[in-house]
Every structure is written in structure tokens, then in C-alpha cells.
Amino acid sequence: MGSVLEILSGSVVALVAIYLCMRFLKTPRNLPPGPFAWPLIGSLHLIGPYPQRALLKLANQYGPLISVWFGQRLIIVATSPETAMEFVKTQDANFCSRPQQQAPTILLPHDLTFSDVTPHSKHLRKIFTMQFTTSKKVEAAQQLRADEFKHMLSTIPQEGWVNVKFHLEVLAGNVFSQLIMGKRLLQPTSHDEEVNDSTEKLKDLMTITADLDRIIGTFNPGDFIPAFKKLDLQGLGSRFKQFRSRMDTFIAKILEERLELRKNRDPKEQSREKDYLDALLDESDQKTNAIDLNVVKTMLWEIYAAGMETNIASSEWAMAEMVNSPESMRKCQEELDAVVGHERMVQESDLAKLPYVKAVVKETLRLHPPVPFLAHQCIKSCKAFGYDIKAGTSVFVNVWGMGRLEKVFPDAEKFYPDRFLPGGSNAGIDYQGQNFELLPFGTGRRICAGMPIASLMVQTVVATLMHAYNWTPPKDIELMEGLGAASLSKAVPLRAYTKARLAPHLYKY
Ligand code: HEM
């Protein structure tokens, strides 16, 4: 018996030794420093449920540029303005590809966000930009957004406990659904947050969007250990396919309706304002490009996936931090009272005169970027900071970690919007891609395509809700991040107590 055990343990030691030798020979040796990588799992055991935290800890230990093996995938992690700049500015053209992931490949094939930069993805980005973010389009939708903000105030009780996240979801759902497909999403009819039965179909859309965000953000071992993908012991491949067919079934009805409408359209009739769906269908009508109805479906979901959850998460974090910070709330309300007064609601045109509101949004996106990493991939083998980076290596910029660098943001864990105001430690820093300390929207070729509208929406949420109500947090307010979703949201939806501050007629819709 003893000798069998000895033989077995001897074999295991020999196998591990052979593996380590092979690994050593195979591994490019001129890499940034990083933790030891075990056979098969690499350093995954160090990552845990909060990768952004774990990678910041490793950066504190090994430096601002590190190599970490996620299973068999090498990831170079940048956690400083200088190292980030190398990949998303200096060598942006060579690092603008995306690491492959199984879920988006099945759920959002040939999309914009998860694809490499190709003529097809550039064309999709152009259509998106023309429809969503040109100043003409942003301006054209101003009234639509103002109506939805007014509607939101009419549904929040003038005094009482409120599920803040619910109202933010309805707001974002209504705004985005009108921009995307000319429909409102949810129409709560009372203060008790009930949703009208007739809007059930539209409620499904919100559920699918949130599920899509969760599925894309769930850790998939097959993305890092190819053998796991082939074996697919968890049955993820078939689960993704089932979910895709749920998405298809839902969107097929909306497409059918719209195609019917377009078929019966009287060409002489005054054409209505085109939405995103129209813009995509116009493209698919021109058979000269590769946009067929499958791409149209993917692009509709993509905007919900990339835009809705990120927007809701940021707005909720901003509100949670403000509700929990009476001093910041007081300063913000003083600014709003001076600029807007109590006889009207905030308008988007006020934002230029509201530096404190802007600082609140910067501070929120510093501490709680909804996309914690910029996930890029090297196209052609190259050198960076003297290290050899091979084609196909993934590069993550830890935006979340960079927001917590003490030497850049003194007292980094504290929510303190004033740091961005004139005279503050971080005055003049903005998040639009010029300052590498703060990159919640990324920068360069892959910068967030929705940044202008996202920034406008989150600022208007903060201004409107801080202006219209006094807020009291629950005794046990927590500010923990949730797990297992692509967008970094609060773990527990925010509830807070409201008390109206404005003239009563402003709460009527
Ligand atoms: C506060 C809200 C938002 C934040 C913080 C955010 C952040 C980001 C980030 C970090 C990226 C990746 C950048 C990179 O890889 O370098 C991204 C990509 C993208 N975002 Fe956003 N986003 C937000 C809202 C939106 C909205 C509202 C939309 C659409 C209406 C949108 C559409 C996109 C698209 C299409 C991409 C892919 C761009 C590409 O890969 O070329 N985002 N976003």
C-alpha cells in the first residue's frame, strides 16, 4: 500500500515538475512582474469575486504594470495614468482589439462593443453616432428627456420611502426605448411602484436587458481555460443559445410591427422623426452592406446592454453617495437653489452653470465606474515599457483601481466632490478621455460611443433629484458593489426617504 502511495505521489510531483518546465519554456520571459501562476488555474485563486479589488491589491504589491495568468490566458493589467496611456493612447491602434468571450460571441454576434475594430464595426459605430450623439440628435431629443424627468417627479411620492433604483430604471427605460424604437417602456400609474399589466411585454424587455448584463458579466471558466469550454461541464454554451432565442423571440415582434409599418407607409406622408430602429432598417434596405436583420437585432440589444445598465448603475451610485453625504447634498442644493430657484424644474441648459453637480458625477464615476476595466487586446506583437507583449495578449486598464490611487486622489476612499472644484486636489480633471487619471468612459478608438448622452443623463438625474427633494438615508445604508454582472451596480437597491422642496405644481405631470 505504502509503495503505491509513494509511486502515486512521485508521479504527481514529476507531472507538476514537467508542467512547470514546459510552462517556463513556453512562457515569454520578458513580461511585467506578477504573481506565481499554478498549472491550469494560473493565478485565478487570487482573483476572487471582486477582480477589480484583487487586481488593485496585486498592483500595490508588484507595480502599475503586471502580468496575471487568468487560467491559461495572460492578462497585462495597467493601474496608473502612465501605463494606461501607453495602451489606450500611445499604442491605441495596436491595442484596440477585444479579448474574445464566449457569451457575447453567442448573444451579440457581429456587434460593436465586443468585436474587433473592422470596417463593419466602424460602420456600425457611425450609424450609432449619427443617431445618438451628434449635437443635433442630442438637442432634438431634449424635450423627450425633459418630459420623462417631469414624469419621474410625478411618480415619486412628495414624502415617504422610495425605491430610488426603480424610478431610475423607469426613467432610463422610457428615454432609451423612445430613442431606440419610438416606444415608452414602463408606465407606472401610481406611487406604489406597480406596473400596469398592459406594459408587461415592455417590462420583459427590462428583465432581458438586466439578464443580458448578468450573463455577460458572469465568470465563465471556459473563457480562460480552453479545455473547460470544449467540455462545457456547466452547459453554458447551450444556456447562452437558449437565452439568445429568448432575445430573438422578443425582438422579432417589435421588428415585425415596424417592418409592417414601413411597408404600409405612404411615401407622401410627412415622415415622423426617425429612431435608431429606422436608421438600422434603412441600412439593411440597402443590400450593399452587411447589415441584415440579424445585425439589426444584435444592435438593438447592444444599445440596451451597453447603455441602460451602466446609466442606471451610475445614477444610483451618485444618489447613494449623495444621500449618505449631508454636507455634499447641502452644497449641491445651495448651488441649485441659486441657479434654478424653487419655481421651476432643472433644465439641461442649466448644467453649464452647475459645477458642483458636475463634480458629484465625476466623483461618482471615480469611485464607482460601472465598467471597472477597459478590456483590450494586442493586435501585433510589440514592446511596452521594455517588456515583450505578444499578439493576442489581453490588456486590462483597471479604471476602478486607478480611481483609488492615493497619490493621485488624496483620501481616495472618501466621497468628496469638492476635490474636482477650483482649488481642490484634482481641479481641472475631467472624464472625457483627456485625463488618464479618470477614464470611466475609456478613451481613444474604443471610447464609449454613448458618452455624451450618458454624461448628460447622469448629471440631469443628480441635479433634478437633489433639487426636487431632501433625502434621508436608511439607518443601515450600505455601499457594497454587487457581483456577477457586467455593470458594477450597488449590491442592494437604494431606498431613501424623500421630502419635496419645490412648488407643488412642479410634481404634476
Ligand atoms: C455612465 C454611463 C456609461 C459608462 C460609464 C460607459 C462606459 C463605457 C466604457 C468604459 C466603454 C469601453 C471603453 C473601452 O473599451 O476603452 C464603453 C463602450 C461603449 N459604450 Fe458606454 N458607458 C456608459 C453609457 C453608455 C450609453 C448610454 C451608451 C449608448 C446609448 C453606451 C454605448 C457604448 C458602446 C456602443 C460602447 C462600445 C464602443 C466600442 O467598443 O467601440 N454607453 N462604455
Side-chain angles (χ1 to χ4, degrees):
M1 186 66 183
S3 64
V4 174
L5 274 179
E6 275 164 28
I7 293 170
L8 268 179
S9 55
S11 312
V12 170
V13 171
L15 279 174
V16 171
I18 293 169
Y19 173 88
L20 291 175
C21 286
M22 284 172 58
R23 179 70 181 263
F24 183 71
L25 291 174
K26 239 176 78 183
T27 304
R29 261 156 290 161
N30 183 25
L31 284 176
F36 179 75
W38 288 98
L40 201 68
I41 61 164
S43 305
L44 273 178
H45 60 295
L46 299 177
I47 301 305
Y50 297 102
Q52 66 279 13
R53 279 173 207 274
L55 291 176
L56 175 60
K57 203 167 151 203
L58 289 173
N60 287 335
Q61 202 175 336
Y62 294 97
L65 192 67
I66 58 174
S67 307
V68 185
W69 287 88
F70 276 49
Q72 285 158 282
R73 183 182 275 187
L74 172 63
I75 299 186
I76 306 291
V77 187
T79 320
S80 71
E82 299 74 26
T83 53
M85 191 168 167
E86 177 73 12
F87 300 110
V88 289
K89 182 171 186 213
T90 316
Q91 298 205 49
D92 183 33
N94 195 29
F95 284 91
C96 63
S97 175
R98 289 273 190 231
Q100 287 298 299
Q101 280 175 264
Q102 190 187 12
T105 311
I106 296 176
L107 299 174
L108 299 169
H110 314 297
D111 75 330
L112 165 55
T113 309
F114 296 97
S115 302
D116 295 340
V117 176
T118 61
H120 173 72
S121 74
K122 280 187 189 163
H123 186 57
L124 292 179
R125 193 171 169 121
K126 195 167 147 206
I127 303 170
F128 172 84
T129 311
M130 295 298 286
Q131 194 60 34
F132 271 91
T133 56
T134 57
S135 35
K136 197 169 144 226
K137 281 287 177 186
V138 172
E139 214 173 289
Q142 190 174 336
Q143 191 53 47
L144 176 162
R145 288 189 296 275
D147 279 351
E148 292 304 336
F149 275 96
K150 199 162 170 44
H151 177 256
M152 177 170 71
L153 290 202
S154 75
T155 59
I156 294 179
Q158 293 189 29
E159 181 162 4
W161 286 101
V162 178
N163 176 343
V164 181
K165 181 165 190 183
F166 171 84
H167 290 279
L168 296 173
E169 282 174 343
V170 175
L171 173 78
N174 279 335
V175 169
F176 282 103
S177 283
Q178 287 182 83
L179 296 177
I180 293 171
M181 54 178 88
K183 275 179 193 275
R184 287 185 91 198
L185 236 188
L186 299 165
Q187 311 206 12
T189 48
S190 63
H191 292 166
D192 58 12
E193 294 156 10
E194 284 288 314
V195 174
N196 198 325
D197 274 356
S198 66
T199 61
E200 208 55 37
K201 185 174 105 174
L202 298 165
K203 203 175 112 196
D204 281 355
L205 183 63
M206 290 293 276
T207 315
I208 298 178
T209 308
D211 286 351
L212 181 59
D213 191 67
R214 246 191 307 279
I215 291 175
I216 290 175
T218 298
F219 175 75
N220 176 357
D223 284 339
F224 306 105
I225 304 169
F228 280 30
K229 187 165 157 189
K230 281 199 195 106
L231 292 171
D232 196 13
L233 296 173
Q234 294 161 284
L236 287 178
S238 54
R239 267 169 44 203
F240 294 156
K241 284 182 193 137
Q242 269 172 21
F243 189 74
R244 170 79 206 193
S245 82
R246 191 174 143 207
M247 291 161 63
D248 277 351
T249 311
F250 184 90
I251 217 81
K253 289 184 205 149
I254 289 167
L255 261 183
E256 258 168 46
E257 266 173 36
R258 179 59 64 89
L259 288 169
E260 196 58 29
L261 194 75
R262 285 165 68 93
K263 209 165 69 191
N264 300 327
R265 194 171 49 189
D266 177 355
K268 283 187 226 126
E269 195 187 303
Q270 185 75 18
S271 69
R272 61 189 162 79
E273 181 70 28
K274 282 189 179 177
D275 54 30
Y276 188 50
L277 180 51
D278 278 319
L280 289 169
L281 289 173
D282 285 352
E283 288 283 331
S284 82
D285 284 348
Q286 300 168 21
K287 306 266 182 255
T288 46
N289 56 43
I291 300 186
D292 59 16
L293 285 187
N294 283 326
V295 177
V296 172
K297 285 185 208 165
T298 294
M299 288 305 289
L300 292 181
W301 282 120
E302 163 152 67
I303 299 310
Y304 278 112
M308 286 269 295
E309 296 299 312
T310 44
N311 224 287
I312 296 166
S314 309
S315 307
E316 190 189 17
W317 278 118
M319 288 302 295
E321 290 285 8
M322 288 298 277
V323 162
N324 197 36
S325 170
E327 184 60 9
S328 304
M329 186 152 57
R330 182 186 60 75
K331 290 180 188 169
C332 192
Q333 288 176 335
E334 274 174 16
E335 176 179 88
L336 286 156
D337 291 348
V339 174
V340 185
H342 277 209
E343 292 303 316
R344 65 172 179 91
M345 274 179 68
V346 173
Q347 293 162 4
E348 286 176 3
S349 54
D350 295 317
L351 293 173
K353 288 167 265 160
L354 299 171
Y356 201 85
V357 168
K358 291 190 172 198
V360 167
V361 176
K362 286 182 193 175
E363 184 67 340
T364 302
L365 292 173
R366 175 184 76 81
L367 278 173
H368 308 289
V371 183
F373 301 109
L374 311 179
H376 291 214
Q377 188 165 290
C378 177
I379 298 172
K380 251 174 58 191
S381 300
C382 66
K383 283 213 176 272
F385 298 100
Y387 297 113
D388 293 325
I389 315 282
K390 276 193 160 185
T393 305
S394 302
V395 171
F396 282 11
V397 174
N398 188 353
V399 173
W400 186 96
M402 280 163 52
R404 284 166 167 77
L405 295 175
E406 277 293 329
K407 61 176 192 282
V408 181
F409 298 104
D411 215 353
E413 286 294 339
K414 188 175 169 198
F415 179 81
Y416 186 57
D418 307 51
R419 70 175 77 239
F420 291 108
L421 295 177
S425 57
N426 302 99
I429 290 186
D430 200 0
Y431 50 61
Q432 301 196 23
Q434 306 305 319
N435 303 111
F436 292 82
E437 298 88 333
L438 191 65
L439 292 175
F441 293 100
T443 182
R445 285 171 174 72
R446 300 311 291 252
I447 192 169
C448 172
M451 181 173 66
I453 179 92
S455 173
L456 191 66
M457 284 283 290
V458 183
Q459 288 177 12
T460 315
V461 165
V462 171
T464 305
L465 293 181
M466 283 296 129
H467 182 228
Y469 304 95
N470 281 320
W471 297 89
T472 314
K475 275 203 190 76
D476 53 353
I477 186 166
E478 57 69 45
L479 296 169
M480 272 304 290
E481 288 151 358
L483 293 175
S487 311
L488 212 59
S489 313
K490 262 182 100 274
V492 180
L494 173 67
R495 285 186 80 82
Y497 194 85
T498 55
K499 201 161 175 9
R501 311 174 67 238
L502 306 178
H505 70 273
L506 295 176
Y507 299 88
K508 295 204 170 67
Y509 183 59

